[in-house]
Amino acid sequence: ARAGPGARGLRPPGWAAERASPSPRAAGSRSLAEGGPRRLRGAGPRTLRRALGSFRSDLLVHSRCFQDPAQAFEGPPPSPPPGAPRLLVLVAVEEPFDWDSIPAAGTAVSMELGRLPELQAELQSRGHRPCYALDYLAVEANGELFGEWARAGGALIGAHLHPWVNPPFGRDESGQSFGANLPPDLEASKLANLFGLIRARTGVAPLLYQAGRYGVGLQTLAQLESHGIELDASLSPGFDYAHLGGPDFRRFDSRPRWYRGGRVLSVPVTGGYLGALSGLGPHLHRSVEAGLARRARLPALLDRAGLYGRLRLSPEGNSERDLRRLTESLLARGERLFTLYLHSSSLVAGATGYARDAAGVEALLARTLAYADWFQRALGGQPADHLALLEHFRSAHRAALGS
């Protein structure tokens, strides 16, 4: 679970569909994606390997999700707020689903919050103001409740796009769960519907956006700018979904940065590499975590030896010790701002592999709160919220432009 969805049998939604078929644009390439089997009938192993390599290359070339920091940013990262390290809390509020397949559009899905209200109360009592990134079904089912929390000052509201449950539905989105790979007009329509529903049901405009499955790209940013959304939490440093036609965040870090144009601030989900070889993480990632190496448990062996590890700052699939290790490692590298991240469905017994029963939910909730307590007690850290953070960086950005 250190590798997030996809590790230890927990595969991301749409894994099967996207492994079997490329993105809509990749499907038009002259490789195995179009006419390949007929052209390669009787070909030898070397030819087949070359063709398969071409097919994988097509997936990467045609993905519009971010693959490299140079695509996304210009200029150095701005300075974080001075003083103690700060902890943000971000919760993706979404329906439970089967990690192995995307539900068909319009499928009826139960929308439970489980112990999320309890988490909200506990975090608020500790001085936190969580941000809830709501997907379409979450807003339909519980938008009024989140609006109450936000208007009372105890929470912030964001938007979370799951293309497979968010209308409108187009014929050219089959198997594509990364929003930035949708046709631009279709992604734009889905986002407009999501943002509008959030305003109508919560009474609050979304402050932040997080792409489902972290599928963000330049076309997404253009839509955020047009709707006046200045915060994006779609980056997941150290994680790579390029083999599915999605983003590649191996070379990204967790520091906030202004996207190109300076109108949308990226505040990534905290994650990254650990161990003596952490500096080589982006280069080791694919070889260490490829099929054969993973089956041989090489990542676990290297992690135990203190050489290489990879984590997201989430209680889902990670121990409290893991979260502390990641935090201390990033602090030693100068990072001062951290985002603790989880999904609402992990607080519903049996909804995900991260909490298979009530005891699993209890343990996950306890890890979340224990880490938040440790962050304040051991590190002298302070709770932060996305709105105050945006105001800090916005002020600093304007001052820098004025100078």
Side-chain angles (χ1 to χ4, degrees):
R2 296 174 195 278
R8 300 182 188 172
L10 295 178
R11 297 187 175 110
W15 181 88
E18 288 177 335
R19 291 282 292 196
S21 62
S23 64
R25 293 184 64 188
S29 60
R30 297 300 299 174
S31 67
L32 285 182
E34 183 180 330
R38 186 165 52 250
R39 289 187 294 110
L40 294 172
R41 189 173 296 152
R46 183 176 300 176
T47 303
L48 290 171
R49 280 197 300 271
R50 255 197 320 267
L52 182 57
S54 171
F55 174 69
R56 288 174 176 162
S57 175
D58 288 337
L59 284 175
L60 295 180
V61 168
H62 291 291
S63 174
R64 290 190 292 270
C65 298
F66 286 133
Q67 307 289 322
D68 189 277
Q71 290 178 283
F73 306 121
E74 55 187 2
S79 299
R86 310 294 176 96
L87 181 64
L88 301 161
V89 179
L90 176 64
V91 182
V93 186
E94 59 188 37
E95 70 289 343
F97 47 76
D98 183 348
W99 287 104
D100 288 325
S101 62
I102 300 173
T107 300
V109 180
S110 64
M111 187 66 219
E112 300 177 51
L113 294 180
R115 295 181 68 179
L116 186 62
E118 182 179 344
L119 176 65
Q120 164 64 21
E122 291 286 352
L123 289 172
Q124 192 171 350
S125 73
R126 289 163 167 80
H128 289 277
R129 192 184 188 190
C131 183
Y132 295 99
L134 311 176
D135 86 348
Y136 199 89
L137 296 185
V139 184
E140 282 191 324
N142 296 293
E144 290 78 6
L145 174 63
F146 289 101
E148 290 175 11
W149 291 354
R151 289 191 298 274
L156 297 168
I157 301 298
H160 188 55
L161 177 64
H162 277 185
W164 57 95
V165 301
N166 198 129
F169 302 105
R171 289 177 300 175
D172 47 359
E173 66 176 298
S174 177
Q176 185 51 260
S177 62
F178 299 103
N181 285 346
L182 295 171
D185 59 340
L186 183 56
E187 185 188 28
S189 295
K190 287 178 181 288
L191 290 174
N193 282 352
L194 176 59
F195 300 156
L197 185 67
I198 289 174
R199 291 187 184 94
R201 293 293 182 90
T202 70
V204 177
L207 171 73
L208 169 149
Y209 175 71
Q210 189 195 39
R213 302 192 67 202
Y214 316 103
V216 65
L218 289 175
Q219 76 173 34
T220 314
L221 298 185
Q223 293 304 315
L224 300 187
E225 291 180 9
S226 71
H227 287 277
I229 293 180
E230 298 179 76
L231 275 177
D232 174 73
S234 300
L235 305 188
S236 184
F239 287 77
D240 178 14
Y241 301 97
H243 63 293
L244 301 175
D248 177 1
F249 297 126
R250 288 175 299 152
R251 291 176 293 276
F252 289 74
D253 62 40
S254 298
R255 293 174 294 177
R257 296 183 69 173
W258 289 100
Y259 284 117
R260 287 183 173 274
R263 297 177 62 188
V264 179
L265 179 70
S266 167
V267 182
V269 171
T270 298
Y273 299 98
L274 301 169
L277 301 178
S278 60
L280 299 175
H283 308 286
L284 294 174
H285 183 125
R286 288 184 179 172
S287 56
V288 166
E289 304 200 28
L292 183 59
R294 179 167 289 281
R295 286 193 292 274
R297 299 187 61 79
L298 182 59
L301 293 172
L302 292 175
D303 191 20
R304 281 199 291 270
L307 296 175
Y308 170 91
R310 182 168 59 90
L311 290 172
R312 181 179 292 130
L313 193 66
S314 172
E316 296 167 332
N318 297 312
S319 67
E320 184 189 346
R321 177 178 175 273
D322 289 333
L323 303 182
R324 294 182 182 188
R325 287 171 55 219
L326 177 62
T327 304
E328 290 169 342
S329 177
L330 295 177
L331 272 173
R333 286 177 247 169
E335 295 197 19
R336 310 291 294 171
L337 187 68
F338 299 84
T339 299
L340 181 64
Y341 178 63
L342 68 153
H343 300 80
S344 64
S345 49
S346 293
L347 295 172
V348 178
T352 74
Y354 296 125
R356 298 186 183 278
D357 51 29
V361 172
E362 178 67 34
L364 189 144
L365 184 60
R367 280 197 303 278
T368 304
L369 298 175
Y371 171 79
D373 291 340
W374 171 83
F375 190 90
Q376 294 189 49
R377 182 184 66 254
L379 302 182
Q382 297 178 3
D385 71 65
H386 288 84
L387 179 58
L389 185 74
L390 175 61
E391 290 171 349
H392 165 81
F393 283 111
R394 187 195 283 145
S395 176
H397 188 55
R398 287 172 179 165
L401 292 176
S403 63

